[in-house]
Amino acid sequence: MANQGNNFSQLDADFVRVLEDLIDALIANGTLRMTDLPIQAQQKLTQRKQQRARLSEHLDLLDDEDGQVI
């Protein structure tokens, strides 16, 4: 039973990422403005973007030693 809870938690995390990507796409194409969202949603999205940016600064997984993107 515990494994099913872990699977569901992973599905939730994956779904949240899909929603973030969807919101980003809607903002990018002008369908949605960040200010259309409630302030709490704006804050949470901003916090997640900042956290991902900090993590990506520490994880240089895209470039190999010769500078090519892998």
Side-chain angles (χ1 to χ4, degrees):
M1 248 337 150
N3 192 26
Q4 288 178 346
N6 290 339
N7 288 340
F8 197 73
S9 293
Q10 184 59 49
L11 287 173
D12 279 352
D14 293 343
F15 188 67
V16 167
R17 185 55 201 247
V18 169
L19 290 176
E20 285 180 273
D21 290 345
L22 174 62
I23 291 168
D24 287 344
L26 291 172
I27 290 172
N29 75 17
T31 303
L32 180 71
R33 293 178 308 226
M34 186 72 143
T35 55
D36 292 337
L37 300 170
I39 190 71
Q40 296 87 353
Q42 292 176 40
Q43 291 169 343
K44 288 176 183 174
L45 284 168
T46 300
Q47 289 170 349
R48 288 186 60 87
K49 284 181 184 296
Q50 290 170 346
Q51 183 65 26
R52 267 188 277 142
R54 282 191 293 270
L55 287 173
S56 69
E57 289 173 6
H58 297 290
L59 299 175
D60 188 14
L61 301 177
L62 296 179
D63 291 333
D64 62 12
E65 292 174 358
D66 63 4
Q68 294 180 342
V69 176
I70 55 173

